[in-house]
Amino acid sequence: MTEPATPHPASVRHAYICHVCGSDHVTRDAWAEWNVEAQDWLLGVAFDHAYCHRCQNDARLDRVVLTSPVTFSAPEGAGGGMAT
């Protein structure tokens, strides 16, 4: 009997969710810099401040492991479980 293959660490995908409601409809403040060669805005710095658009308030973000393309394993005590 063979054991199931363990996912390669690089193949593990994550999401960030609000610590209060579990929504993944969250954002962070950041700076973007115009790149002349790429002709696109590139992320320069992501700041600590986060905001939940479901709670409509400041938020602390929890990083969770995606268990499929649309679901995640929410941390204990967080509401949710389905990506919104």
Side-chain angles (χ1 to χ4, degrees), residues 10-77:
S11 66
V12 175
R13 297 179 43 169
H14 297 91
Y16 287 90
I17 62 172
C18 172
H19 78 287
V20 173
C21 73
S23 172
D24 66 345
H25 191 85
V26 295
T27 54
R28 286 180 57 188
D29 286 343
W31 280 351
E33 302 167 347
W34 182 251
N35 184 294
V36 174
E37 288 183 31
Q39 288 293 290
D40 201 0
W41 290 100
L42 301 179
L43 182 63
V45 176
F47 299 108
D48 292 336
H49 180 260
Y51 185 83
C52 176
H53 295 274
R54 179 183 277 169
C55 293
Q56 296 185 350
N57 207 346
D58 294 341
R60 186 186 80 239
L61 303 182
D62 291 329
R63 181 174 154 166
V64 294
V65 175
L66 290 170
T67 56
S68 78
V70 295
T71 62
F72 51 80
S73 176
E76 193 170 313

